[in-house]
Structures are given as C-alpha cells and as structure tokens.
Amino acid sequence: MQIHTLNKAAIINELQFGVGINHAVQDGRRADFALILSMFSEDVRDNTPVEHIDRVEITEESLRQRFELPDPQELRSDQSAYAISAKQAELFHSSGLPSAKLSHYLKPEVLTYLPEDTHGFPEDVYHSLSAHQHRKLGETEPKKLMPVDLYNHLIQAQRSYQIHAQI
C-alpha cells in the first residue's frame, strides 16, 4: 500500500522533500538517502522548465519575399524563353556587353534550350522510339482496368453470335 502511495507522489526534485534529504546526508543515513534519490524522476524534462517555441515555417518563397529577390533562374526553356533571349541579344548588339549583363541579372534566361514536345527526352532518343512508345508517352490518362463483369460480356457476345449464326 505504501509503495503505491510513493509511486503516485510524482517526486521530481529535492525541493519536494524539504529538509529530509539534508538530514539523511548529515546523519549518515545511506539507506534513506538512496531511497530518496531512487524516487526522483529520471526524465530530465521534468527538472528543466521547457517553453514551447512556435516554429515558423521558412520556405524558399518566404525568404525570396523577405529579401526581395527575383524569381530563380529557370532550368529548361519554354516559349517565353525565346523572347527573353532575343531581347538580350538585341541589347548586346545595340548597347554592348554591360547592357546584356544588366538585362540578364534583371531577368535571367534559361540555362538550357531543350527541344519541345519530346517528353523530356533528347531529340535523337525521342525520334528513335517506336510509334507505340510515342503513343504511350502522349497518353495523359492511365489505362482503365478490365471491367469486373468481363466474363458476362463475353458469354453474352458469344450467345448473340450463335443466335445470329443460326438465323
């Protein structure tokens, strides 16, 4: 009965014993001192005051807005990339390298110009694919599975064929 009472006491540190631990040390009562120490919580989070810190989610987009950075340089080309590149080439021919560099820093052009409509493959690889593989790459919806009642449809089709063959 006393053991259950001690377990429910939830003793965390020496302040809850008052002077009991001090008297055990001064009087040399090792058994009492060991008993008191064994009742302390072994979880350090019980002894240390812990504050809950709200974590702010930091994303690349929030950092770009905070430091007023432009959009990152695109990796692949699209239709708008050709107009940007043509404008920078025009600025290079009319005003020189500093003007083209400034234009690039304000609106960077893409790193690579890849062929379009090749589903991410290099052009020579894409043209080496068969017509069936081209068709599979072009499909946007996944193939439907076989219907659950396929067996019934097959039997019905066979019976209707037999009826038409006998007539």
Side-chain angles (χ1 to χ4, degrees):
M1 184 76 169
Q2 290 177 352
I3 294 174
H4 294 298
T5 307
L6 288 175
N7 283 342
K8 292 180 182 176
I11 297 168
I12 294 175
N13 58 25
E14 65 273 4
L15 295 176
Q16 291 174 300
F17 278 104
V19 293
I21 194 166
N22 190 15
H23 288 299
V25 171
Q26 285 179 349
D27 295 342
R29 296 181 301 189
R30 303 184 104 171
D32 290 345
F33 180 73
L35 177 65
I36 292 171
L37 284 183
S38 69
M39 289 190 292
F40 288 160
S41 173
E42 67 276 354
D43 192 0
V44 73
R45 293 173 293 184
D46 289 339
N47 293 331
T48 309
V50 178
E51 284 185 38
H52 178 69
I53 299 173
D54 294 330
R55 295 188 80 181
V56 178
E57 193 67 32
I58 298 175
T59 61
E60 183 178 349
E61 185 61 36
S62 65
L63 289 175
R64 287 192 173 280
Q65 285 180 339
R66 181 176 177 189
F67 296 114
E68 298 178 1
L69 296 174
D71 292 333
Q73 186 173 8
E74 294 291 328
L75 300 177
R76 297 186 57 155
S77 62
D78 57 357
Q79 286 298 321
S80 65
Y82 295 105
I84 294 169
S85 180
K87 181 69 175 171
Q88 288 179 0
E90 178 187 334
L91 287 172
F92 173 73
H93 289 295
S94 63
S95 304
L97 186 60
S99 178
K101 279 186 175 182
L102 178 62
S103 174
H104 174 72
Y105 294 142
L106 292 175
K107 182 74 174 165
E109 61 181 328
V110 295
L111 289 177
T112 182
Y113 289 90
L114 296 176
E116 294 181 7
D117 299 329
T118 60
H119 302 283
F121 291 110
E123 201 168 2
D124 54 343
V125 173
Y126 183 75
H127 290 301
S128 297
L129 298 175
S130 69
H132 296 292
Q133 291 167 330
H134 283 267
R135 182 180 44 81
K136 284 182 183 178
L137 288 173
E139 291 177 353
T140 56
E141 296 180 15
K143 291 179 96 175
K144 294 182 180 178
L145 297 176
M146 291 180 16
V148 177
D149 56 346
L150 177 65
Y151 183 71
N152 294 335
H153 286 295
L154 291 174
I155 290 176
Q156 186 179 9
Q158 181 185 15
R159 296 291 181 211
S160 64
Y161 173 75
Q162 288 174 350
I163 291 173
H164 288 299
Q166 289 177 358
I167 296 182

